[in-house]
Amino acid sequence: MKYSLDCEETFTQTYMFWLSRFIRNKITTLSNRQVKDKDRLTQILHELSIGYKEIEELKSTVKEVRNIGINSIHVYFIPLGKLFKFMSNYGPKSMKEIDEELLSDFLATQTSKLSDATKKNYRIALVTFFNYIDKQNEETNGNTYRFGIELKNWGGLSGKSGQKLPSFMKKDEVQKFIQAIDSYEFSNKIAARNRLILKIILYTGVRVSEAINIHMKDFNKDEDAYIIQVRGKGNKPRVVMIKELIIGKDLNEWNEIKTCQNNLLLCNQKGNELTQAYISSIVEKILLSVGIRKEKNGAHMLRHTFATMLYQKSKDLILVQESLGHADINTSRIYTHFDKDKLKQTTDIF
């Protein structure tokens, strides 16, 4: 069913109508392999078809959709949510007042401090959103309004790769962080669990989404280590390993008190899956407690740290690729930027 472009009384209502429907459309087209609560997702899709009136309400729903298992939905919502706030200051009366020039102004002012990769995501979100409206709007006379947004000439990108060097901890910082994991004062009920998941991420380089989805059947003892099978992007399986000496004590303490549903290794106190936001908040608190400050203090920084140290020690890019589960070795190549031995060679040229 198609709708009039300015289908509500005010610009705000119209924008929220189209944004709600667009988010619903993206949910149904993104991968659903990791979806945990099908009934709740069905309910959310129904709510989105009706539409939300407040941006914060939609933001909360998008966060819930991510936790349910549609991990990439925020890539579309964040830029469009910021565009909503940008347009609120601009004060348009109709969606038809939005054009390429206005969107270029938005990108120029709102993405100045973002990486090229994130800037590309912003552009893709805008182009996809207005292309969706182009196909779904129709007036009573049968005419369709076309935005035709392409943003091909937007000059905000500084290079072709769109890749930014990741934040990571140096060797001495890693030692401080590891010591802080064991000394940080968590609540007794969750202390062993929190130490366990942070060590698994840091010592194996798994993604946070992979760590919180580990099942007991995929966590097996092998001599003096544990072999863990994780499911990466595209539901691709791979195997990582961690020594028993590192996690044995925390694992035993956690197994004595945990009451996880769905055979999960790690869960919250209600037995449900942990959230990525919660894990990142723990990492940030520990980092700040020992005076370590990075551009990005979230849990994903632990994965970058693992990959950087692995390459520095092994000089084996294939090993890095296989350990991180990268489909393309060029994704892993970024960690060669931290090869200090090669950099030192440049200091002796003359």
Side-chain angles (χ1 to χ4, degrees):
M1 183 175 180
K2 296 188 176 183
Y3 303 88
S4 171
L5 178 61
D6 289 316
C7 51
E8 300 285 352
E9 293 182 3
T10 67
F11 170 82
T12 297
Q13 292 174 327
T14 298
Y15 187 93
M16 287 301 301
F17 169 84
W18 284 111
L19 183 56
S20 297
R21 297 203 68 82
F22 174 72
I23 293 299
R24 182 185 186 280
N25 174 262
K26 296 313 299 181
I27 290 173
T28 60
T29 56
L30 293 171
S31 173
N32 66 347
R33 290 180 179 273
Q34 303 294 333
V35 169
K36 307 297 186 302
D37 190 340
K38 297 177 182 178
D39 292 337
R40 176 55 184 148
L41 185 60
T42 300
Q43 184 180 356
I44 288 174
L45 290 174
H46 175 67
E47 293 171 0
L48 287 167
S49 66
I50 297 173
Y52 287 89
K53 301 298 183 183
E54 302 293 335
I55 192 71
E56 290 301 320
E57 187 178 5
L58 180 54
K59 181 180 179 180
S60 297
T61 297
V62 169
K63 183 177 180 181
E64 184 178 359
V65 170
R66 285 190 69 191
N67 292 335
I68 287 175
I70 308 293
N71 295 322
S72 300
I73 191 63
H74 69 293
V75 175
Y76 295 93
F77 174 75
I78 290 175
L80 296 170
K82 289 187 177 180
L83 177 62
F84 174 79
K85 293 183 179 180
F86 177 82
M87 297 299 291
S88 297
N89 294 327
Y90 176 73
K93 296 181 179 180
S94 167
M95 291 287 288
K96 294 177 182 178
E97 294 183 33
I98 300 176
D99 56 16
E100 287 235 359
E101 182 178 0
L102 182 60
L103 295 179
S104 294
D105 289 345
F106 164 74
L107 290 172
T109 58
Q110 302 298 310
T111 68
S112 59
K113 296 183 180 180
L114 302 178
S115 68
D116 280 0
T118 304
K119 289 179 180 180
K120 284 187 175 182
N121 287 340
Y122 270 60
R123 178 189 171 275
I124 290 171
L126 296 182
V127 171
T128 307
F129 177 52
F130 287 101
N131 283 350
Y132 171 80
I133 299 177
D134 283 348
K135 296 175 182 178
Q136 297 299 320
N137 83 90
E138 185 176 277
E139 302 299 332
T140 55
N141 59 8
N143 292 335
T144 297
Y145 184 86
R146 286 189 57 80
F147 288 95
I149 301 298
E150 295 182 349
L151 294 171
K152 288 184 177 180
N153 298 320
W154 176 53
L157 299 175
S158 60
K160 293 182 179 180
S161 67
Q163 208 167 35
K164 184 178 181 180
L165 295 182
S167 297
F168 69 99
M169 287 185 285
K170 298 176 183 178
K171 191 172 182 178
D172 61 322
E173 292 175 327
V174 171
Q175 294 303 319
K176 288 174 65 177
F177 182 76
I178 291 172
Q179 293 172 5
I181 291 177
D182 288 323
S183 62
Y184 194 84
E185 294 186 4
F186 296 110
S187 166
N188 289 336
K189 292 183 179 180
I190 60 173
R193 180 203 67 192
N194 286 358
R195 293 193 296 264
L196 181 60
I197 192 168
L198 294 183
K199 290 176 182 178
I200 289 175
I201 295 171
L202 179 62
Y203 281 90
T204 68
V206 297
R207 299 177 179 91
V208 182
S209 60
E210 295 168 346
I212 61 180
N213 281 292
I214 294 173
H215 287 74
M216 290 302 300
K217 63 182 178 64
D218 299 322
F219 192 88
N220 299 295
K221 181 83 179 303
D222 183 6
E223 296 182 353
D224 65 342
Y226 285 94
I227 294 177
I228 311 171
Q229 179 170 305
V230 296
R231 292 277 173 178
K233 291 184 177 180
N235 206 34
K236 295 178 181 178
R238 76 177 188 284
V239 173
V240 298
M241 181 179 288
I242 187 170
K243 290 183 178 179
E244 181 184 17
L245 179 65
I246 296 168
I247 61 169
K249 181 175 180 293
D250 297 317
L251 180 63
N252 290 335
E253 287 183 19
W254 172 239
N255 281 335
E256 289 179 2
I257 62 173
K258 74 182 183 75
T259 55
C260 297
Q261 299 178 12
N262 301 318
N263 204 32
L264 287 170
L265 170 67
L266 302 153
C267 60
N268 61 26
Q269 295 185 60
K270 294 182 179 180
N272 300 321
E273 180 185 304
L274 294 166
T275 66
Q276 296 187 45
Y278 175 74
I279 305 304
S280 285
S281 70
I282 296 173
V283 173
E284 185 165 18
K285 289 176 182 177
I286 294 178
L287 288 170
L288 293 176
S289 73
V290 291
I292 300 175
R293 183 69 187 177
K294 298 296 176 181
E295 184 178 355
K296 292 188 177 180
N297 276 2
H300 199 68
M301 189 266 292
L302 303 185
R303 175 173 162 88
H304 289 315
T305 299
F306 167 84
T308 302
M309 296 189 70
L310 177 61
Y311 182 76
Q312 288 178 349
K313 186 172 183 177
S314 68
K315 301 297 189 294
D316 187 339
L317 199 57
I318 298 296
L319 177 60
V320 174
Q321 178 192 12
E322 292 177 347
S323 298
L324 296 187
H326 288 157
D328 188 346
I329 195 170
N330 287 320
T331 307
S332 312
R333 202 174 297 279
I334 189 172
Y335 299 105
T336 63
H337 290 288
F338 309 112
D339 190 342
K340 290 188 291 184
D341 293 335
K342 286 185 177 181
L343 288 174
K344 284 179 181 178
Q345 294 178 25
T346 67
T347 67
D348 297 325
I349 291 177
F350 300 104

